[in-house]
Amino acid sequence: QVQLVESGGGLVQVGGSLRLSCAASGRTFSSAAMGWFRQAPGKEREFVGAISRSGSTTGVADSVKGRFTISRDNAKNTLYLQMNSLTLDDTAVYYCAYTSRYAYARGTEQYDYWGKGTQVTVSS
C-alpha cells in the first residue's frame, strides 16, 4: 500500500503563487512515476503534470504550461507542484497520484494510488 498526503493548498488571489507538496510512504518512492491531477466542481478530473521516476522527464498540461512546474525529491519521498500566475480557472481540488507500472504516465487510468486532495481556491 501507498499513502499519499497532499499539502500546500489554500486561498490565493489571481496572479499569486502556491507550492503544493505530496508526501509518499509505504513503497519505494523512486520506483514510481508521479502525477498531479485536479478536479473542479462539476468537471471531470484532469491531468496537470507528470514526472518520471528519476525526474528526468516532466510534462504539464497545455492549460498550465509556462506557469506550473512539477518536481520531486526522491531523498525526501516528496512530489511538488509550483503554481505561479494563478487564474480563476485553476480553482480545484488537486490530487497527487502514484504508479509503479509505468515510467511516465499522463492518464488517470495509469495510476494506482491517489491522495485525498488539497483545495486550491483562486479569488479575484
Side-chain angles (χ1 to χ4, degrees), residues 47-50 58-62 64-66 68-70 81 104 106:
F47 169 77
V48 175
T58 62
V60 296
D62 288 344
V64 305
K65 195 166 291 184
F68 289 14
T69 303
I70 186 171
L81 184 69
Y104 176 80
R106 296 168 68 106

Side-chain angles (χ1 to χ4, degrees), residues 5 8 16-17 22 25 31 34-35 52 58 68 81 85 91 112 115 119 123:
V5 180
S17 298
C22 172
S25 62
S31 67
M34 299 293 295
S52 63
T58 62
F68 289 14
L81 184 69
S85 302
T91 295
D112 302 309
Q119 176 71 48
S123 69

Side-chain angles (χ1 to χ4, degrees), residues 27-33 52-54 72 74 98-103:
R27 285 193 182 178
T28 305
F29 181 70
S30 59
S31 67
S52 63
R53 293 164 177 161
S54 67
R72 66 190 296 163
N74 285 347
Y98 172 113
T99 179
S100 59
R101 295 184 288 133
Y102 300 90

Side-chain angles (χ1 to χ4, degrees), residues 18-118:
L18 283 174
R19 188 194 197 200
L20 304 184
S21 298
C22 172
S25 62
R27 285 193 182 178
T28 305
F29 181 70
S30 59
S31 67
M34 299 293 295
W36 285 103
F37 294 78
R38 67 186 182 186
Q39 188 166 18
K43 295 187 177 181
E44 292 187 354
R45 190 169 298 189
E46 65 174 3
F47 169 77
V48 175
I51 188 166
S52 63
R53 293 164 177 161
S54 67
S56 59
T57 301
T58 62
V60 296
D62 288 344
S63 59
V64 305
K65 195 166 291 184
R67 301 187 297 120
F68 289 14
T69 303
I70 186 171
S71 63
R72 66 190 296 163
D73 186 336
N74 285 347
K76 296 182 178 180
N77 290 351
T78 304
L79 175 72
Y80 302 100
L81 184 69
Q82 178 66 45
M83 307 187 296
N84 299 328
S85 302
L86 286 161
T87 71
L88 296 177
D89 288 341
D90 296 319
T91 295
V93 177
Y94 285 71
Y95 299 90
C96 67
Y98 172 113
T99 179
S100 59
R101 295 184 288 133
Y102 300 90
Y104 176 80
R106 296 168 68 106
T108 56
E109 72 282 359
Q110 295 177 290
Y111 286 88
D112 302 309
Y113 298 97
W114 295 81
K116 293 184 178 180
T118 185

